Each structure stands twice: as structure tokens, then as C-alpha cells.
Amino acid sequence: MRSIGPLHFTEFHFHSHRHSIPSQTMAACSSSILLFLLFGLLTIRSHKSVRALTSPSDIAALMAFKSAVKPSSIPSWSCLASWNFSSADPCSSPRRTFFTCGFSCSSSDPSRIIQLTLDPAGYSGTLSPLISDLSMLTNLDLADNSFYGPIPPSISSLSELRTLTLRSNSFSDSIPPSVTSLRSLESIDLSHNSLSGPLPKSMDSLTNLKRLDLSFNQLSGSIPKLPPNLLELALKGNSLSGSLEKSSFDGLTQLEVVELSQNSLSGAIEPWLFLLPSVQQVDLANNTLTRLDIEKPSAGSDNNLVAVDLGFNSIEGNIPVNLASYPGLSSLSLRYNQLRGVIPAEFSQVQPLRRLYLDGNFLSGKPPAAFFTSETALSGSIGYNCLEECPASSQLCVPSQKPVAICRTS
């Protein structure tokens, strides 16, 4: 708020030959001036009582945050450009000119910053370790910018943090193990960065975490024991290796989405994965998996499996007929593996099945005739196999089958 400068009054010159101002009039003027000054002071005090003054530690943290961003990367129209600490207080209101966006203050304690949510303006810089001084922060979102360097370990001081979103930046180095001490976290999205190294070993200590997305980084090593209340797990597009261990997924009764494609996972896919009580989507495409073991869901179980993608692996053997026992399965991809044998007729009897990709294997025999009836709504491909009598008129048979010479020698 602007300060009120000294009041200036016009100087009156009185001359003996002019009419003098009566003393009663002078007294009335003085009373009016005093009343005006008193009203001004009361107004100033009243404004101070309704306007929040941001906590000094929060102001210092915001200043440090902005100073770590390259000035040349702050567009004039952006949120950060409006952060002018010499002209306004961050949490004061209304914010028509300064501090117009990029953060929120608490309604219960208007002196504290609770959200730092930047606009995607292309900001470039590092994340200041002093971000930890925003101790009441519940949401940190810097997505779709160009921040780089490590994620500061001091972030572990943000004990109230529920959402951490650093998606689509250029953060590098490993994920600080201290992140796992943020027990209030419900969502972590660090996807599309340059993070490397293993996942923190104590991920399972994040007992409130519902969503974990670390996709499209350079993370390596095996999958540790995961947080028990996860709904969504996305680790695709990394360099994770080793086999899928049941111990990593123990107790995940709410897990609905498993996205682990484009890694270097190997070994067998065991029955427990598809029998997780809430799992709906499993994507393990583009790994080096070699075996697929499937068990039928138990009678009367409320299995929710809808979509499975195991394409572009090295899975050998026959297509597991037990996959056709999952009552809600509507999309299945086993394309470009090393599968042999016939296509089980049971797959033509799965009513919800709408998308089926078996192309690029070494499947033989005749495909189920029901695939090609007018009643079927099946899409996908069973092409580039060693099948007999696959109707050329059907889109399912595109591309054409492998040359006989390849099928004979395989």
C-alpha cells in the first residue's frame, strides 16, 4: 500500500488593508483539518487490519526462487514478471498489478503461501534449495518449463506437500531419497525430465501416495517395494531392468494402472500380476520379457482387467488360453513376440474383446472363423504370422502372412 505523504496547505498572506478572517472561521477550519487527519489514520489502520502481510520467511523464499530463474527467460506477460517485491506484498489484496498469479495464499492463515503453481512460460533456471522455507506448501507445480539441475534434497522439509509436479522440465541427477519422507504426498509427477539412477529404496514409506509418474527419464535398476495405496504406477520410457517381483507389489489392493513399457525388464510375467484385485490396465510393451504365465481369476471374483499390452517383447510359447477367462478384457496386444501354435478359439467367445493384436508372431493353423463374421466388432491384426486361410478381404489379416520359407525354418 502506498504511504501517505505529508499534507501541504496553501499559505495565506494577510494584509492589514484586506478583510481579515474571523477567528470563529479559523477555529472551524482547524477542527475540520484535525477530523480529516484522524479519519485518514483510522482508514490506514483499518486497511492494515484486513490485508494480509506475507510471512517474511515466505517472502524470502519467493525472492530466492525467482532469483534462481534466468531473467531472460521471464516473459513480460508471465506470472513471474508480476512478482515485484519492492512494489507490493505477495499476499496483500487485491492483486491487480503485482503478484497476479503463480502462487496462492492460505485462507485460514493469509500470511502463508500454500501453492506454488507456475504458468508454462518457458522459465529456465534451477530450483532454489530455499524452497524448503515455504513450510506450509501443499502444491508445487513447475510443469512444462525448462528448469534444470538437481531436485534439491531440502524439498523434504515441505512436510505439508500433497502434490509434487515437475513434469516436462530438464531436471537431472537422481531422485533425492529424502523425497520419501514426505508422508503427506498424494501425487508425484516427475515425468519427461533427465533424472537418472535407481528409484529410492523406501518408496513404500509414502503411504498416502495415489499416483506415481516417473515416465520418460533415464532411471535404472529394479523396481523397489511400492507405496501400498497406489492407484496409478507409470514408469515407462526408462532403463529399468530385472524381473517383476511379487514382493514389489505386495499389498497393492487399489492399484488400477501399471505402465512399465519401454524399459529393459526381463524374465517371466507371473500370474499374480493380472490377479491384483483392482488392476484394470497393464502395459509392459517394449521390454525383453520371455515368458507369460496366466491363471484364471477365481470363480466369483470381481476381476477388473480391461486392457493388456505385452507387444514387442521376446515372449515364447503358446498364447495362454487363460487370458480369455478374464470377463472384462476388451483390448489385448501380444504383437511381435515369439509366439507359436494356434489362436485359441476361446478368444472369439470373449464378448467384450474389441481390439486384438497378434501380428508379428509365428502363429499357425486356421484363425477362428468367428473373427470374420458380420456380427463381430473386432479390430486389430493377426497378420504377419504363419496362419492358413486368413481372408485377404479382412482388415484383421493385414499385413499379409510371412513367407512360407520363413515359417518352415522357424
Side-chain angles (χ1 to χ4, degrees):
M1 182 173 59
R2 294 180 180 175
S3 59
I4 298 178
L7 297 175
H8 299 283
F9 302 98
T10 303
E11 183 180 356
F12 290 93
H13 298 277
F14 301 102
H15 301 280
S16 57
H17 62 278
R18 300 275 177 96
H19 294 288
S20 61
I21 299 175
S23 58
Q24 296 90 341
T25 304
M26 288 292 291
C29 286
S30 298
S31 298
S32 298
I33 292 171
L34 287 173
L35 286 172
F36 173 77
L37 290 174
L38 180 60
F39 176 77
L41 288 172
L42 289 173
T43 301
I44 292 171
R45 287 183 180 178
S46 173
H47 276 285
K48 282 186 177 180
S49 66
V50 299
R51 290 191 174 188
L53 295 177
T54 312
S55 161
S57 62
D58 282 13
I59 291 178
L62 290 180
M63 292 178 71
F65 176 84
K66 183 176 180 179
S67 67
V69 177
K70 294 179 179 179
S72 60
S73 72
I74 303 178
S76 58
W77 45 264
S78 67
C79 288
L80 274 185
S82 73
W83 291 15
N84 189 326
F85 297 93
S86 62
S87 298
D89 178 89
C91 285
S92 63
S93 60
R95 300 198 297 264
R96 296 194 182 98
T97 304
F98 303 108
F99 298 101
T100 56
C101 56
F103 68 97
S104 298
C105 303
S106 171
S107 56
S108 59
D109 182 0
S111 68
R112 304 306 307 274
I113 308 292
I114 58 169
Q115 295 191 44
L116 184 54
T117 52
L118 285 190
D119 48 334
Y123 303 119
S124 176
T126 58
L127 179 55
S128 169
L130 293 181
I131 191 77
S132 61
D133 288 343
L134 296 174
S135 58
M136 296 301 292
L137 206 64
T138 62
N139 186 2
L140 176 59
D141 186 347
L142 310 181
D144 302 300
N145 282 290
S146 297
F147 286 91
Y148 58 86
I151 299 171
S154 62
I155 202 171
S156 62
S157 297
L158 301 176
S159 59
E160 302 297 318
L161 200 64
R162 293 197 294 270
T163 303
L164 175 61
T165 307
L166 304 179
R167 179 187 66 248
S168 297
N169 280 281
S170 297
F171 287 106
S172 57
D173 292 350
S174 59
I175 299 173
S178 59
V179 168
T180 61
S181 66
L182 296 173
R183 305 300 168 82
S184 297
L185 272 177
E186 298 173 2
S187 174
I188 299 176
D189 188 348
L190 308 181
S191 61
H192 296 274
N193 278 284
S194 298
L195 299 168
S196 58
L199 296 174
K201 291 182 179 179
S202 53
M203 293 293 293
D204 60 319
S205 64
L206 296 171
T207 53
N208 286 305
L209 197 67
K210 306 291 190 211
R211 180 173 182 266
L212 176 62
D213 192 346
L214 306 177
S215 302
F216 300 107
N217 281 284
Q218 299 160 23
L219 300 169
S220 57
S222 58
I223 299 173
K225 187 168 176 54
L226 295 166
N229 291 306
L230 271 186
L231 299 176
E232 298 179 24
L233 172 66
L235 300 174
K236 59 187 176 184
N238 282 286
S239 298
L240 299 173
S241 58
S243 57
L244 288 173
E245 300 294 338
K246 187 175 186 297
S247 58
S248 300
F249 292 78
D250 265 350
L252 271 66
T253 58
Q254 302 178 67
L255 187 62
E256 298 176 352
V257 178
V258 179
E259 293 185 345
L260 300 174
S261 63
Q262 301 178 52
N263 279 286
S264 298
L265 299 171
S266 58
I269 304 169
E270 297 179 342
W272 59 263
L273 181 59
F274 299 112
L275 295 175
L276 289 171
S278 298
V279 71
Q280 298 176 17
Q281 301 176 42
V282 175
D283 185 357
L284 295 171
N286 294 90
N287 280 283
T288 56
L289 299 160
T290 55
R291 197 171 83 249
L292 177 59
D293 295 334
I294 301 291
E295 290 181 2
K296 293 181 179 181
S298 58
S301 67
D302 187 20
N303 189 276
N304 298 301
L305 191 64
V306 172
V308 174
D309 189 349
L310 307 178
F312 298 95
N313 277 282
S314 300
I315 300 172
E316 299 178 345
N318 297 328
I319 298 176
V321 68
N322 284 340
L323 267 173
S325 302
Y326 287 79
L329 189 63
S330 66
S331 178
L332 173 64
S333 174
L334 295 168
R335 63 193 319 200
Y336 289 90
N337 279 283
Q338 303 294 318
L339 295 168
R340 301 174 187 276
V342 300
I343 300 174
E346 287 82 352
F347 282 98
S348 64
Q349 300 163 10
V350 181
Q351 295 302 318
L353 193 61
R354 293 292 178 266
R355 291 163 47 88
L356 179 64
Y357 287 90
L358 302 176
D359 49 312
N361 285 284
F362 294 89
L363 301 173
S364 58
K366 297 179 181 179
F371 281 0
F372 311 107
T373 62
S374 58
E375 292 83 15
T376 184
L378 194 63
S379 65
S381 174
I382 56 175
Y384 206 58
N385 277 289
C386 300
L387 296 169
E388 302 169 10
E389 301 180 21
C390 199
S393 59
S394 173
Q395 281 297 115
L396 277 177
C397 296
V398 178
S400 59
Q401 301 301 305
K402 291 177 178 175
V404 174
I406 293 178
C407 293
R408 284 176 178 172
T409 57
S410 63

